[in-house]
Amino acid sequence: GHGRLALALCAGARAYVAPVAPKAAVARSAFYGGGESGALDNLEGAPPGPVPNIANPGGAWDPLNLADTTPFGPTLEWYRAAELKHCRVAMAAFVGYCVQANGGHWATKMTLGGADWPSGSPPEQWDALPAASKWQIILFVGMLELFDESVAPHYMMGRKPGMFPSFSDAYAEGEGYPHPVPFDLFDPFGSLRKRMDTEEKRARGRLIEINNGRAAMLGIFGFMAASKVDGSVPALSFIKPYAGDYMQPFEGNFDLFA
């Protein structure tokens, strides 16, 4: 009798499951509205149209379902800033690839010693650059990144992600570089600031930028894929093949594993 009673109690214990508090959902309206800083405005914009995700069929552009899995705040603003940086790099890369593939280059010589610009496809031209030229490009971008990260307010603490600080304004406030810089990065002559004189125009400009940037990311990856795998992008069959390694930017200069 005691054995049957013990078995009955064990079975009852196994059958009991403590209630689990439901996971707090992130309000999609707050996510897409951008919060106090407007960091995530226009996240739903994407070419050629809305892309649904598994959890939200027919929903807006959120393939990783970040709106329902990430608490609103600095993390999402970091995502937006990272996306915008990749968009801008991809737009520059896409245009640069088109120009260089058609023989375009600066009118001056490549080096002070009078060396000519390399020929070939854009990735082959990169491989042919001297190591010093590559380091100049990398260090210049690193200085811009350091400036963006060091000027308050940070884009995770109130500044709109993607809004690169003004060199002159930062210098006047005692921040940024310890010497004046005559031209700002994205608006060197102040014309853009004059044209984007209303919030409606600025919001439309941000939407255009994010859409063009996403298209450029697909475009530059299409160029790379077509150059490495013949027939992978049928529409880009005219892209010259590339025998090098995109993941080794200094392949033509030195090899860390040699």
Side-chain angles (χ1 to χ4, degrees):
H2 293 293
R4 286 194 296 271
L5 178 59
L7 289 173
L9 291 174
C10 289
R14 288 196 302 269
Y16 175 75
V17 178
V20 178
K23 181 181 178 181
V26 180
R28 300 187 73 86
S29 59
F31 180 82
Y32 289 116
E36 294 181 0
S37 68
L40 301 171
D41 289 345
N42 304 318
L43 188 68
E44 65 274 15
V51 179
N53 57 64
I54 297 174
N56 184 36
W61 173 257
D62 187 18
L64 298 181
N65 202 30
L66 297 177
D68 293 328
T69 58
T70 308
F72 182 81
T75 301
L76 287 177
E77 297 191 357
W78 185 87
Y79 286 154
R80 168 40 53 98
E83 181 183 25
L84 280 168
K85 289 177 182 180
H86 283 79
C87 283
R88 289 166 178 171
V89 170
M91 286 189 283
F94 184 88
V95 174
Y97 196 106
C98 294
V99 171
Q100 290 179 238
N102 287 279
H105 56 75
W106 296 107
T108 60
K109 295 292 184 179
M110 183 179 66
T111 66
L112 296 176
D116 291 326
W117 295 94
S119 58
S121 66
E124 291 171 344
Q125 293 175 41
W126 169 267
D127 288 340
L129 286 177
S133 299
K134 297 178 180 179
W135 281 119
Q136 288 176 27
I137 296 171
I138 293 172
L139 291 175
F140 174 72
V141 174
M143 291 176 62
L144 295 178
E145 184 75 3
L146 180 63
F147 177 79
D148 185 27
E149 295 286 338
S150 63
V151 175
H154 193 268
Y155 55 77
M156 292 170 63
M157 299 296 177
R159 176 169 30 109
K160 188 184 292 296
M163 183 180 293
F164 195 84
S166 166
F167 291 128
S168 56
D169 291 348
Y171 177 75
E173 296 172 5
E175 297 183 308
Y177 298 125
H179 59 80
V181 179
F183 302 108
D184 285 329
L185 181 62
F186 291 108
D187 190 17
F189 302 107
S191 57
L192 188 61
R193 184 179 298 185
K194 294 177 182 178
R195 282 190 297 146
M196 299 292 182
D197 55 353
T198 66
E199 180 54 35
E200 181 181 1
K201 292 180 180 179
R202 290 190 289 270
R204 183 175 180 273
R206 290 193 296 269
L207 181 59
I208 291 174
E209 180 186 36
I210 201 74
N211 284 348
N212 288 340
R214 287 167 176 167
M217 285 191 282
L218 295 175
I220 193 62
F221 266 96
F223 286 160
M224 295 166 67
S227 69
K228 294 299 293 183
V229 182
D230 186 32
S232 60
V233 187
L236 298 177
S237 58
F238 57 88
I239 296 294
K240 296 180 180 179
Y242 173 53
D245 190 343
Y246 282 112
M247 301 306 292
Q248 296 188 42
F250 287 90
E251 184 180 23
N253 308 108
F254 59 84
D255 189 349
L256 294 176
F257 304 101

